[in-house]
Amino acid sequence: MKKNISKIKTPDPGSKKKNRKISLSMKHAICLSVIITAGILSYLNSIDNSFHYDDIASITDNRSIRDISLVRIWKENNHFRFVGFTSFAINYSINGLENIRGWHYVNISLHICCAIAFYVVLILIMRLLGKDGSAISLSAALLFSVHPLLSEPVNYIQARHVLFYSLFTLSSTIISLLFISSRKSFSKLIFSLCMLISFVLAALSKEVGIFYVPSAILLTFAAFWDNIENNSFIKKRFYLLIFLIAAALILITHSIRPLTNLFSAGYSLGLGKRTFVVNLLTHSVIFFKYLKLLVPLSSHLNVDHNMTLIRLNSFSDCFLAFSSFFTLLFLSFIAWKRKKRDPLFFFLFFWGIMGIFPYMIVTKGSAELMIEYKFYLSAIGFIGLIMVFLNRFYQYLSMKYRHRGTGIIYGIILSLAVFFCISETRKRNTVWKNEMTLWGDALSKSPQSIKPHHNLGVYLSETGKTDDAKYYFYEALKIQPQSAHLHSNLGTLFLNEGNIQKAFHHFEKALSLGSQSVQTYNNMGICFDKMGKHDQALYQYYKALEIDRNNADAHNNLAVYYSKKKNWEKSFYHFDKALLAEPNNAKTYFNMGIAYFEKGDIDKAIFHFSQTASFEPEHLYAHYFLGMLSHSQKRLKDAVPHYETAIDLAKKAKNTTLLKKIQDHYQACIDQLNSSQKKDNDD
């Protein structure tokens, strides 16, 4: 009798590999879910925060984003920020300006995408080095997604440009790593095309994007040179990448200054001249100030760090600057020497330097020296370094003590650090709630800085609190008495109050201090007009046009001037110019309506008042004139709704004198309408 012998089943290698891929995919999916959740938790309380300072010019007052016209966006905005302005146009078409949450959702999403891209970069690097990088990648990307230092470009809508170029720079790095790993020529060609696309998108996100993408590609190839095939095109043509970096720097600076001008080129900024050497030394100091901000405390963060250029005639400034510069050089030398032994350290350190490098060498830049969003890209490198050191320290302890509890303790410490960062980021988000909270916080941290005083004054003047606005403007003048801009703002406040003498004094002071503001000349002209000095007013309006020949306000003021003189040809010429500059300007349409009314062309007057009301629905006088003119033309049914709207707006404005006039006209219109209807019924 034969016995059945059971066969031992050998495991299928293909099945094992498949299961390993599934478990690896699941691990990455969990890691990404944790990063996304942490990012959302960090910024969930920021979605109702208002627009801030440059958001006004770039978004709320920017007519070019009112429709998704790529040609108009390209023509009317900075070409190097085309991607960001296009995203603003899309945001506006979906959310308008009222639904601020939609704008914040985009910024938060971009920040989380940057954190995910950072995770992928580290995973690919560790794979290239033949190591398991899940722990380092997750911890670094997680800390990046929740760190309070990075909250400025997330809360500040206009800083979306920074998020875009950072994302495209990280994308180019991912593509470079895939290029190095690939052994197929066709794949390398595809990756090369993708690098080019990343470069174009980064360049169209912000000017510095021209520098960052080629630099990131160059850094990636330099760090992992040993992993590139010997006969590779990259190894043979590596100098081409270096040439791209140099070309990018030339594009940013527009011109390379000769060595003889290193101490004389540049422009005035606070104390001293912003020469190449002064700028380099100042940013060496700023670099270490940024590193201090990596300590995740929201109380250290400030929208106005009030950093000034170092003074070469000050011993303390020079000592601090040169010690910072040589320390930075020493650290760079150490990182370079460790390139062979520790390419990850080399990559992350020089990534951090890469992020700040353009600001160190370019003298033609923002007048503000230290802005937190400028460190956004650099933070990727240094947060990565922190987590690499912590992870290696954990591995050292694990090997030394060989205790399971070591991993648990490390996990608990990391979790506590993440939750602490989330708490601090959420605390910082509350500072960005509105202009008052933002600049109030800045003022408490930088009481001797002009910017918080000035911006609080602007915000309070816009909200109708003119006395408080004046207080902050005068406080700012104590710090910087020779500020033409502050005198101009004070003049505008007094002009709006009807205090022509004080307004004139401040505008005159602003002009004597060298103001080249179109608005100052315009307002000076209005002062002369109200003082009865019409010829002087005319001169000021034309001076404004010398600065900006397409300025709508200057053309508008000239049009009104000539309409008072009954010079209709010149008047309507300037009105047309004003509308060409700002096609949807309600003030211009209203003034044109008045001009046509005075000229006796009632139909055109009605048309222009209607346009005024369409662009500014709560324009009291537009509705009043529409009611009166429709009434005068016996179009009583058209007149009634305009009178009713004007009555509501007059009540809201508490203009009792005008309200009485409108009510009288309205009652007369109603009486005529009733009489007409009664007559029709009798017939």
Side-chain angles (χ1 to χ4, degrees):
M1 186 176 172
K2 288 183 179 180
K3 290 185 178 179
N4 293 326
I5 300 171
S6 59
K7 293 180 180 179
I8 299 171
K9 291 184 179 180
T10 56
D12 180 12
S15 173
K16 219 175 187 183
K17 193 175 180 182
K18 188 178 178 183
N19 289 336
R20 186 176 173 277
K21 278 186 176 179
I22 292 169
S23 62
L24 196 62
S25 300
M26 185 62 72
K27 185 194 286 186
H28 289 319
I30 291 168
C31 289
L32 293 177
S33 300
V34 170
I35 292 166
I36 292 167
T37 304
I40 291 169
L41 283 173
S42 298
Y43 292 100
L44 197 60
N45 70 327
S46 72
I47 57 175
D48 291 316
N49 290 352
S50 66
F51 290 112
H52 296 282
Y53 44 111
D54 285 351
D55 289 340
I56 308 306
S58 296
I59 299 170
T60 59
D61 291 346
N62 189 351
R63 297 287 175 183
S64 70
I65 66 165
R66 294 294 186 266
D67 53 81
I68 308 173
S69 170
L70 298 182
V71 175
R72 188 182 178 191
I73 292 168
W74 178 263
K75 282 182 177 179
E76 297 185 24
N77 297 286
N78 185 339
H79 297 339
F80 287 111
R81 305 189 183 191
F82 177 72
V83 172
F85 280 110
T86 302
S87 77
F88 294 157
I90 295 168
N91 248 142
Y92 184 84
S93 68
I94 297 169
N95 307 110
L97 294 175
E98 293 74 28
N99 184 9
I100 189 73
R101 289 186 172 189
W103 298 80
H104 282 292
Y105 289 147
V106 174
N107 276 39
I108 294 167
S109 300
L110 286 170
H111 174 64
I112 292 171
C113 285
C114 286
I116 291 170
F118 182 27
Y119 172 81
V120 175
V121 165
L122 290 176
I123 285 289
L124 291 174
I125 288 173
M126 298 306 285
R127 188 183 295 172
L128 204 62
L129 298 174
K131 299 176 182 177
D132 177 24
S134 300
I136 291 176
S137 304
L138 174 62
S139 55
L142 192 57
L143 188 62
F144 176 82
S145 70
V146 301
H147 201 290
L149 173 57
L150 309 173
S151 60
E152 182 165 311
V154 185
N155 280 286
Y156 180 23
I157 304 296
Q158 201 266 346
R160 187 179 294 179
H161 305 298
V162 176
L163 300 173
F164 271 122
Y165 75 64
S166 299
L167 182 59
F168 296 133
T169 304
L170 286 162
S171 301
S172 70
T173 309
I174 292 169
I175 297 161
S176 302
L177 290 165
L178 292 171
F179 181 98
I180 293 168
S181 303
S182 177
R183 296 292 178 263
K184 295 178 182 178
S185 299
F186 180 73
S187 298
K188 286 180 182 291
L189 177 63
I190 297 298
F191 292 140
S192 299
L193 289 172
C194 290
M195 284 184 220
L196 181 62
I197 292 167
S198 296
F199 171 74
V200 172
L201 290 172
L204 293 175
S205 297
K206 202 173 181 184
E207 296 86 335
V208 286
I210 297 170
F211 168 80
Y212 284 136
V213 169
S215 297
I217 295 169
L218 176 65
L219 176 61
T220 307
F221 288 138
F224 307 105
W225 186 259
D226 294 338
N227 299 85
I228 303 172
E229 294 173 325
N230 287 327
N231 62 346
S232 169
F233 174 83
I234 295 298
K235 279 201 172 181
K236 289 179 179 179
R237 300 287 186 269
F238 193 63
Y239 64 87
L240 284 174
L241 278 171
I242 299 172
F243 172 76
L244 279 173
I245 304 297
L249 283 172
I250 292 168
L251 281 170
I252 295 171
T253 56
H254 303 296
S255 63
I256 299 296
R257 300 183 186 278
L259 291 173
T260 52
N261 289 339
L262 289 184
F263 286 91
S264 60
Y267 57 86
S268 293
L269 179 73
L271 297 171
K273 290 277 187 180
R274 189 169 179 173
T275 65
F276 175 82
V277 170
V278 169
N279 190 67
L280 180 65
L281 292 171
T282 302
H283 276 88
S284 299
V285 176
I286 290 171
F287 172 77
F288 288 99
K289 286 183 178 289
Y290 279 135
L291 289 184
K292 282 172 65 178
L293 295 179
L294 285 171
V295 178
L297 292 170
S298 60
S299 57
H300 292 174
L301 303 177
N302 189 358
V303 75
D304 179 34
H305 286 279
N306 195 28
M307 185 72 189
T308 57
L309 292 167
I310 63 112
R311 295 165 296 183
L312 293 176
N313 60 350
S314 166
F315 174 78
S316 58
D317 277 13
C318 285
F319 178 78
L320 178 62
F322 280 103
S323 59
S324 299
F325 177 69
F326 285 113
T327 303
L328 185 55
L329 279 182
F330 177 69
L331 292 172
S332 301
F333 175 75
I334 291 173
W336 182 267
K337 293 293 285 183
R338 289 179 63 89
K339 177 180 172 293
K340 288 278 185 186
R341 286 189 298 127
D342 196 350
L344 180 59
F345 175 85
F346 171 86
F347 174 82
L348 291 172
F349 179 83
F350 280 105
W351 181 286
I353 299 298
M354 178 191 77
I356 196 74
F357 188 69
Y359 304 109
M360 298 179 81
I361 63 168
V362 177
T363 58
K364 291 182 179 179
S366 167
E368 278 189 89
L369 294 168
M370 185 174 176
I371 310 173
E372 286 163 14
Y373 68 67
K374 287 182 178 180
F375 196 67
Y376 187 85
L377 201 60
S378 289
I380 290 170
F382 292 111
I383 287 173
L385 274 179
I386 290 167
M387 297 320 298
V388 165
F389 285 133
L390 286 175
N391 193 264
R392 288 175 181 177
F393 182 64
Y394 155 67
Q395 288 176 347
Y396 165 76
L397 291 177
S398 297
M399 290 179 68
K400 186 174 181 180
Y401 297 106
R402 298 183 181 278
H403 195 280
R404 290 181 181 178
T406 313
I408 297 170
I409 293 168
Y410 177 77
I412 291 170
I413 292 170
L414 180 62
S415 300
L416 289 173
V418 168
F419 281 115
F420 180 76
C421 284
I422 291 173
S423 171
E424 289 298 299
T425 299
R426 290 176 66 86
K427 195 185 295 182
R428 183 63 186 167
N429 294 340
T430 60
V431 171
W432 285 85
K433 185 177 181 181
N434 55 48
E435 292 286 89
M436 196 69 199
T437 55
L438 182 66
W439 295 111
D441 175 77
L443 184 62
S444 66
K445 293 169 181 174
S446 304
Q448 291 306 308
S449 174
I450 185 175
K451 190 175 178 181
H453 290 93
H454 172 266
N455 287 348
L456 277 170
V458 171
Y459 172 74
L460 290 165
S461 66
E462 287 172 352
T463 53
K465 298 175 181 177
T466 53
D467 290 337
D468 292 333
K470 286 177 202 169
Y471 167 78
Y472 285 109
F473 285 142
Y474 278 122
E475 286 297 305
L477 275 177
K478 289 178 185 177
I479 301 166
Q480 195 171 328
Q482 302 303 306
S483 170
H485 192 60
L486 285 169
H487 280 290
S488 185
N489 282 345
L490 277 164
T492 303
L493 279 179
F494 285 116
L495 181 62
N496 292 336
E497 285 181 344
N499 192 334
I500 306 303
Q501 292 302 322
K502 280 197 173 183
F504 181 83
H505 163 74
H506 283 290
F507 290 135
E508 192 175 41
K509 184 70 175 174
L511 292 174
S512 71
L513 290 168
S515 173
Q516 287 299 303
S517 165
V518 175
Q519 205 56 45
T520 304
Y521 280 108
N522 268 326
N523 288 336
M524 191 69 161
I526 292 169
C527 285
F528 277 124
D529 226 344
K530 290 183 179 294
M531 293 161 69
K533 299 177 180 180
H534 304 298
D535 291 337
Q536 287 98 318
L538 189 67
Y539 172 78
Q540 298 297 330
Y541 298 146
Y542 276 114
K543 283 291 289 182
L545 284 181
E546 283 179 20
I547 299 167
D548 180 7
R549 63 180 181 178
N550 296 317
N551 184 264
D553 286 336
H555 281 296
N556 199 354
N557 290 334
L558 281 166
V560 171
Y561 173 86
Y562 284 118
S563 68
K564 288 176 181 176
K565 299 284 185 181
K566 308 298 181 186
N567 188 336
W568 304 117
E569 185 181 348
K570 281 192 174 182
S571 176
F572 290 115
Y573 166 81
H574 285 291
F575 276 134
D576 289 339
K577 285 285 187 181
L579 286 178
L580 198 63
E582 291 184 17
N584 303 329
N585 192 318
K587 184 170 74 171
T588 304
Y589 276 109
F590 180 75
N591 287 338
M592 282 186 85
I594 295 291
Y596 277 117
F597 173 68
E598 290 176 350
K599 192 183 175 187
D601 194 335
I602 303 302
D603 289 334
K604 284 189 177 179
I606 289 174
F607 169 77
H608 284 88
F609 288 134
S610 298
Q611 289 293 96
T612 305
S614 68
F615 292 124
E616 194 177 324
E618 294 196 355
H619 197 294
L620 169 57
Y621 286 95
H623 286 288
Y624 177 39
F625 274 100
L626 281 168
M628 283 201 306
L629 294 178
S630 299
H631 189 176
S632 68
Q633 291 193 327
K634 307 298 182 184
R635 289 154 51 186
L636 303 177
K637 289 184 179 179
D638 291 339
V640 168
H642 287 297
Y643 277 138
E644 288 173 345
T645 304
I647 288 169
D648 291 338
L649 292 172
K651 286 178 180 176
K652 192 176 178 181
K654 297 179 181 178
N655 191 334
T656 52
T657 307
L658 183 61
L659 177 62
K660 181 70 172 65
K661 283 184 182 179
I662 301 170
Q663 286 173 333
D664 290 343
H665 285 296
Y666 174 64
Q667 190 57 52
C669 184
I670 291 294
D671 291 342
Q672 287 179 32
L673 189 61
N674 290 336
S675 175
S676 176
Q677 287 175 346
K678 186 178 179 183
K679 189 177 179 182
D680 289 342
N681 291 335
D682 290 343
D683 290 342

